[in-house]
Amino acid sequence: MQANTRSIYMLPYYIWIVLFVIAPVVLVGYYSFFDVDGNLTLQNYRTFFTPTYLQMTISSFWYAFLVTLFSLLVAYPAAYLLTRTKHRQLWILLIILPTWINLLLKTYAFIGIFGTYGPINALLGTLGFGEQQLLFNAPSFVFVSVYIFIPFMILPIYNALEEMNPTLVSAARDLGASGWVTFRRVILPLTMAGVKSGCMAVFIPSLSLFMITRLIAGNKVITLGTAIEQHFLVTQDWGMGSTVAVVLIIAMAVIMILSGGFGKEVRHD
Amino acid sequence: MTNKNGWGNLYLVFVFALLYAPILYLMYYSFNSAGNMHEFEGFTWEWYGEVFQDTRLIIIVINTLVIALLSSTIATMIGIIGALAIDRIRRRRLKDTVLSLNNVLIVSPDVIIGASFLILFTMIGIKLGFASVLISHIAFSIPITVLMILPRLQEMSPSLIDAARDLGASRRDVLSKVILPFIKPGIFAGFFMAFTYSLDDFAVTFFVTGNGYSTLSVEIYSRARQGVALSINALSTLIFLFTVMLVVGYYMINRRATNKPRREEPIAVGGPR
C-alpha cells in the first residue's frame, strides 16, 4: 500500500521513459518499413543495400574515424600537459568555455576564415601558394569537426590522467623505464577508459553532423546524419530516413557493446 | 620530458589559440564597417545597432530564453523524481536497465532524436512550433539532470533519513527538509546543464520547429546558409559575453555549494549540440 502511493510520484519519470525513450525508437523502426505512399514494404532496406547508400555509409564512418583520430592526436598531449600546469582549474574552465558557444556560430566563423578572401588564403597568398578553394571540400569538414570536438576529447582524457596515481609513473621511471615505455606500458593503459569515452563522445556525433557538412563541406561530404535530415525535411521520405536512422542506431549499439556498455560512469553504491 | 616547459607550453598555447581564434575572429569583425569578414576598414557599432533594431531577431532571442527557462525548470523537476526513482531501486539488474534507458538520449545522435520526435509529434497530433520545441527540450534535458542529481543522492548517508524518521518527520518533511537540501548542488548543476543544453540545441529543434517558430540556433543556421552577415557576428559577440557570465555565475554557485574540498567535481559537458 505504502509502496504504491510512493510510486505514483515516480510516474512522470517513467512516462518520460516510455514516451520519449522507448516509443521514438519503436516508431523509427516501424516507419522504416513504409514507403513514401504509406505502403508496407521492405524496399527501403533493399535501397539501403545498393552501392550508393553503402558507399555513403562507409564514407560516413571513414570521416567519423578521421575526425576521432585527429581529435585524439591533438587532445591527448594537450590533456597530459594540462595536468602539469599550475591553476589547472582555470585552464580546464577555458577548455570548457568554447563548448558552451553555439556550435553554429563556431562553424559560421570558419566560413569567414576559410573563405576566398579569408586570413588563411591571405597567408597562402603571401607564402606564394596562391589562392586555394578551402571551403566546400572534405578536408575543411574534417578540420572544423575536429575543432568542434577537441574539448570533448580533452576532458575525459584529462579526468583519467588526473585519477591516475602519479607514484606509478615514478615507480616505472625508478625501475628504469624510458619516457616512451612508461607512457606506453603505464600511462596509456591506465587512461584507456578516458580515451574510450572521448572517442565515443566524438565518433557517434560525427556520424550525424549534418549542419557542418551543409555549411562547410557544401555537398561534398554526405554523412548518415545528412541523409536522415535530407529524407525527413527535404524529400519527405520518412520511411527511407527511418531506415538510415535504424542503421545508425544499430551501428551505435554495436559500438557501445564493443566498448563495454554505457551508463557505467554512474556509481552504483 | 626534460624540456616540458618549453615545448609543452608552446603546444598548449597552440591548442588554446586554435580553440579561441574562431571566436575572437568573429568578435573582431563584428566591429568592421566594411561589412565583410576579411578587410577591417574601420570601427563601427553599426551591426550591434542592427541587432537591436531587428525585432524579429529579438523575438527569437526571447523565444529561445523562454524555452530554455521553462524546459530546464520542468526537466529538473522530473529529473529529481527520476533520480529518486533510480536511487530507490534495489535490484541491480533493474537499476542498470533504467539507467541505460535514462542515458539513451544522451548518447543518441541529435538527428535521430529530432527525427524520431518529429514522427512522435506528428502521430500524437501535436502541432509543430512552441509546444513541440518545448516538449522535446524537456525530454532531452531530463537524463542529464538525473545524472547530475543521482551521485549526490548516492552520497547521502541513509542514517540521515533514518534519524529524521526516528525524530518523527513525515515523508514529506524528509523530502523537503533532508533530501532536497542535501542534493541541492546537484539540482543546480542539473538545471544549469539543462539550460545550456536548451540554449545550444540546434539539430533537434531544427526537426521539430515547423514553420513560423524559430530559436536562435535555427535562425543562425538559416542566416549562415545565406552567407556572411555581420549582424551574426555582433550577435555572437553578445552571446559569448552572456555565456561567459553564465559560466562564471555557475562556478560561483558551485564553489559556494561545495565548500569542502571534495573530490574534484566531475566536469560536466554535454555532447556537442
Side-chain angles (χ1 to χ4, degrees):
Chain A
M1 181 34 214
Q2 261 199 355
N4 271 341
T5 49
R6 237 199 267 173
S7 346
I8 286 176
Y9 294 108
M10 310 298 177
L11 214 55
Y13 181 69
Y14 288 113
I15 289 176
W16 168 77
I17 288 191
V18 173
L19 259 184
F20 293 99
V21 179
I22 299 172
V25 179
V26 174
L27 283 175
V28 166
Y30 176 75
Y31 263 79
S32 69
F33 294 107
F34 289 91
D35 65 9
V36 201
D37 305 316
N39 304 315
L40 194 68
T41 171
L42 277 175
Q43 187 53 45
N44 293 329
Y45 285 94
R46 250 173 262 145
T47 313
F48 189 85
F49 286 101
T50 55
T52 330
Y53 275 91
L54 286 181
Q55 213 173 14
M56 181 202 77
T57 311
I58 291 168
S59 85
S60 183
F61 274 85
W62 170 244
Y63 284 122
F65 168 75
L66 283 182
V67 170
T68 313
L69 180 71
F70 287 127
S71 309
L72 182 62
L73 288 180
V74 178
Y76 202 104
Y80 179 78
L81 291 165
L82 278 169
T83 59
R84 317 263 117 186
T85 51
K86 274 186 227 164
H87 311 297
R88 268 173 287 175
Q89 292 279 22
L90 176 71
W91 295 118
I92 281 296
L93 184 60
L94 285 175
I95 294 278
I96 298 175
L97 190 59
T99 69
W100 280 335
I101 309 287
N102 200 302
L103 178 82
L104 289 158
L105 288 178
K106 288 181 285 189
T107 311
Y108 166 77
F110 281 99
I111 298 179
I113 294 174
F114 283 160
T116 320
Y117 306 106
I120 305 285
N121 256 325
L123 184 71
L124 288 177
T126 25
L127 292 176
F129 291 103
E131 222 165 65
Q132 305 285 328
Q133 173 63 334
L134 300 170
L135 276 178
F136 310 125
N137 55 27
S140 60
F141 166 71
V142 173
F143 186 92
V144 175
S145 308
V146 169
Y147 165 77
I148 300 275
F149 286 126
I150 285 173
F152 299 100
M153 189 63 103
I154 291 182
L155 293 170
I157 297 175
Y158 170 85
N159 285 339
L161 282 164
E162 276 283 276
E163 271 169 28
M164 191 180 68
N165 187 344
T167 54
L168 291 171
V169 177
S170 316
R173 297 310 294 266
D174 284 349
L175 292 168
S178 68
W180 170 244
V181 172
T182 311
F183 173 73
R184 201 167 51 91
R185 304 289 289 271
V186 181
I187 302 178
L188 191 60
L190 284 174
T191 53
M192 215 46 211
V195 171
K196 258 188 197 167
S197 49
C199 287
M200 300 256 280
V202 174
F203 190 83
I204 291 170
S206 32
L207 287 173
S208 57
L209 282 175
F210 69 90
M211 48 293 202
I212 298 183
T213 61
R214 288 256 197 267
L215 291 175
I216 296 291
N219 283 328
K220 294 287 160 46
V221 178
I222 295 172
T223 62
L224 291 174
T226 326
I228 296 173
E229 190 255 353
Q230 179 84 16
H231 282 307
F232 269 92
L233 300 178
V234 184
T235 62
Q236 301 281 329
D237 185 354
W238 287 16
M240 195 59 220
S242 298
T243 307
V244 180
V246 167
V247 173
L248 187 49
I249 292 172
I250 293 171
M252 225 179 70
V254 170
I255 296 168
M256 295 281 180
I257 292 163
L258 286 182
S259 58
F262 55 97
K264 271 198 167 168
E265 311 86 76
V266 180
R267 282 168 294 144
H268 278 285
D269 11 53
Chain B
M1 288 284 157
T2 39
N3 200 9
K4 70 176 180 201
N5 283 333
W7 289 112
N9 285 346
L10 200 66
Y11 183 74
L12 276 185
V13 168
F14 163 75
V15 171
F16 276 105
L18 182 68
L19 282 179
Y20 281 90
I23 300 164
L24 297 176
Y25 180 80
L26 273 188
M27 292 168 80
Y28 177 67
Y29 280 102
S30 70
F31 299 108
N32 183 13
S33 62
N36 59 40
M37 270 211 277
H38 48 84
E39 246 167 87
F40 198 89
E41 200 181 73
F43 181 88
T44 177
W45 287 108
E46 189 188 341
W47 314 111
Y48 289 87
E50 202 170 280
V51 168
F52 286 110
Q53 273 161 18
D54 192 339
T55 15
R56 187 183 135 77
L57 195 60
I58 289 172
I59 290 172
I60 289 172
V61 170
I62 294 170
N63 279 347
T64 312
L65 287 173
V66 167
I67 291 276
L69 276 174
L70 272 179
S71 71
S72 51
T73 308
I74 299 172
T76 310
M77 291 194 292
I78 302 179
I80 295 170
I81 295 171
L84 288 170
I86 294 174
D87 191 52
R88 243 174 40 124
I89 301 174
R90 287 286 154 256
R91 268 188 303 157
R92 187 69 170 259
R93 283 282 293 275
L94 188 63
K95 197 173 198 159
D96 280 345
T97 312
V98 178
L99 259 177
S100 301
L101 286 173
N102 183 71
N103 296 354
V104 165
L105 288 185
I106 294 179
V107 294
S108 299
D110 291 344
V111 262
I112 292 189
I113 302 179
S116 61
F117 282 8
L118 175 62
I119 297 179
L120 182 76
F121 292 139
T122 317
M123 278 196 75
I124 305 181
I126 291 176
K127 211 171 142 280
L128 297 184
F130 175 77
S132 61
V133 173
L134 179 65
I135 295 172
S136 25
H137 281 220
I138 294 170
F140 70 61
S141 301
I142 288 174
I144 193 70
T145 59
V146 171
L147 285 191
M148 303 300 269
I149 297 168
L150 195 55
R152 290 292 296 181
L153 215 49
Q154 285 167 336
E155 239 168 56
M156 201 167 89
S157 155
S159 51
L160 222 54
I161 295 170
D162 292 340
R165 298 303 296 271
D166 284 351
L167 293 168
S170 67
R171 190 174 303 119
R172 182 180 293 268
D173 285 339
V174 171
L175 184 67
S176 66
K177 300 227 168 79
V178 181
I179 300 179
L180 286 182
F182 191 87
I183 61 174
K184 210 163 81 187
I187 295 175
F188 272 122
F191 174 81
F192 180 79
M193 286 309 293
F195 187 74
T196 53
Y197 258 42
S198 170
L199 280 186
D200 263 3
D201 179 73
F202 164 69
V204 177
T205 314
F206 190 60
F207 272 87
V208 298
T209 184
N211 294 326
Y213 189 80
S214 191
T215 65
L216 210 44
S217 310
V218 175
E219 182 68 11
I220 292 167
Y221 178 70
S222 59
R223 289 191 186 196
R225 288 197 79 175
Q226 288 157 20
V228 169
L230 289 197
S231 51
I232 304 184
N233 294 50
L235 187 63
S236 62
T237 309
L238 296 173
I239 295 176
F240 182 76
L241 295 178
F242 180 68
T243 311
V244 171
M245 270 159 42
L246 264 187
V247 172
V248 171
Y250 170 75
Y251 270 80
M252 302 268 264
I253 291 172
N254 227 14
R255 181 154 294 181
R256 206 174 302 157
T258 51
N259 254 337
K260 53 177 179 171
R262 254 154 54 77
R263 193 173 67 86
E264 229 167 89
E265 281 289 315
I267 292 160
V269 250
R273 288 187 177 272

